[in-house]
Amino acid sequence: MSTPLRLGTRGSALAMAQSGQIADALTAATGRPVELVEVVTAGDRSSAPVHRLGVGVFVSALRDALVARTIDLAVHSYKDLPTAAAAGLHIAAVPPRQDPRDALVARDGRTLTELPAGATVGTGALRRIAQLHALGMQLEVTPIRGNVDTRLARVLGPEADLDAVVLARAGLARLGRADVITETLDPMLMLPAPAQGALAVECRIDDPDLVELLAVLDHAPSRAAVTAERALLATLEAGCSAPVAAYAELAEGDAGDEIYLRGAVISPDGTRELRLSRTGTPADAAEIGKALAAELLDLGADSILGQEGHTGPGTQQFGSTE
């Protein structure tokens, strides 16, 4: 029996579920046993609002463990990763992406349009807060923290104090809680965060055997979509509080597969927003993202981003999938 690979993961129910699924897939594909190693991150220890926690709070401890060789690989929610590459580390696989859309969980089975004016809606992401405000529905939007169960309890629990919450659909699906979703939100209403629904399997670049082993988990269409979205984000140099959204879809075109990328920058109060789209080939995924970001900047995206701080390339932190 081969020595088990040590897979580093956060200890939340969602992180453990995600990592367990990757461990099972890797063992099934290669026969190599995998053991989970819990790593506590700064984000797990803090109760501050997600968008104020700083860069890489759900990531840095896992990466430190990789560098220290106390784990062999790590699984991240891809949207938690700063856009700047980490020295000595490599994203060896982007497994098939879960549905990247956002989901509404509301009392009495309501959809978003059925919520009355003044309804209280909780979410942890400024991107969602900004887009909810932009709908002009006079909702009371409240920043919230906590794992999936904690957030759901704010709506469904015996001491519920909110009318609805908005979470990533992927996280609910991975936990087997998709049944509580009252509406999966159309990207025309709520454009997802860059890389939402995708996982990143990371290892040390000086371990070529493991890099090759993990490649079996890589899903080229998911990697291309995420590459386009994160190239847009990196080119915008979005700060940790910037409401930036992006969603790339792959579809069959006349000359083969095409990427259709939508991007948006929205002011936190929802009064200003820019939305554009661009198409191209999967091979040009990064260039599509960069070009769309350049168009957004030409239209004044930097002035919207500047309302919440603009901290330089690779420094965004969207918070965990939860």
Side-chain angles (χ1 to χ4, degrees):
M1 180 72 69
S2 302
T3 302
L5 291 169
R6 299 164 299 171
L7 190 162
T9 177
R10 294 174 58 208
S12 71
L14 177 56
M16 294 294 282
Q18 291 175 168
S19 297
Q21 289 161 16
I22 294 301
D24 291 345
L26 185 58
T27 299
T30 68
R32 188 75 183 267
V34 181
E35 64 180 20
L36 301 186
V37 178
E38 183 178 341
V39 177
V40 179
T41 71
D44 298 316
R45 291 191 295 265
S46 174
S47 59
V50 169
H51 62 273
R52 302 196 183 281
L53 287 177
V55 180
V57 293
F58 297 108
V59 173
S60 57
L62 287 165
R63 286 181 158 173
D64 289 346
L66 276 172
V67 172
R69 301 180 182 271
T70 56
I71 60 174
D72 302 303
L73 67 153
V75 173
H76 310 284
S77 292
Y78 210 149
K79 71 175 183 177
D80 288 348
L81 292 181
T83 53
L89 302 180
H90 173 66
I91 304 299
V94 180
R97 186 183 197 177
Q98 278 268 8
D99 188 333
R101 294 176 294 175
D102 285 306
L104 182 79
V105 179
R107 294 193 198 190
D108 305 319
R110 289 179 173 176
T111 65
L112 187 61
T113 56
E114 291 172 341
L115 293 175
T120 54
V121 182
T123 180
L126 274 181
R127 169 191 59 82
R128 295 183 186 125
I129 293 171
Q131 291 184 90
L132 287 169
H133 285 315
L135 294 174
M137 295 175 58
Q138 285 76 55
L139 300 171
E140 295 292 331
V141 187
T142 303
I144 59 173
R145 276 293 312 273
N147 60 31
V148 169
D149 286 335
T150 299
R151 297 185 190 204
L152 291 178
R154 300 285 298 271
V155 175
L156 305 177
E159 298 181 1
D161 62 339
L162 298 173
D163 295 302
V165 292
V166 180
L167 306 92
R169 192 186 197 286
L172 291 168
R174 289 187 177 116
L175 284 170
R177 301 298 307 275
D179 60 302
V180 301
I181 295 171
T182 56
E183 183 181 12
T184 299
L185 299 176
D186 189 315
M188 295 296 290
L189 294 176
M190 182 72 67
L191 203 62
Q196 183 159 302
L199 300 178
V201 184
E202 190 171 46
C203 67
R204 291 180 295 276
I205 204 166
D206 65 0
D207 192 346
D209 291 341
L210 185 54
V211 169
E212 182 178 356
L213 187 77
L214 295 176
V216 70
L217 300 178
D218 195 58
H219 184 242
S222 296
R223 185 182 280 269
V226 167
T227 296
E229 294 166 10
R230 285 172 58 81
L232 177 145
L233 185 64
T235 305
L236 288 174
E237 299 184 352
C240 64
S241 300
V244 174
Y247 182 25
E249 297 177 275
L250 268 69
E252 187 174 342
D254 295 336
D257 285 346
E258 289 185 342
I259 286 182
Y260 173 52
L261 174 64
R262 284 176 278 178
V265 178
I266 313 99
S267 66
D269 62 5
T271 59
R272 298 179 63 196
E273 61 179 332
L274 294 171
R275 294 176 182 265
L276 292 174
S277 64
R278 194 176 184 93
T279 60
T281 67
D284 295 325
E287 296 308 313
I288 297 167
K290 292 175 184 176
L292 186 56
E295 292 182 59
L296 288 166
L297 289 169
D298 285 344
L299 292 175
D302 52 346
S303 66
I304 297 176
L305 293 171
Q307 293 183 29
E308 284 294 322
H310 199 202
T311 55
T315 59
Q316 95 296 339
Q317 175 59 43
F318 282 96
S320 78
T321 303
E322 298 169 21

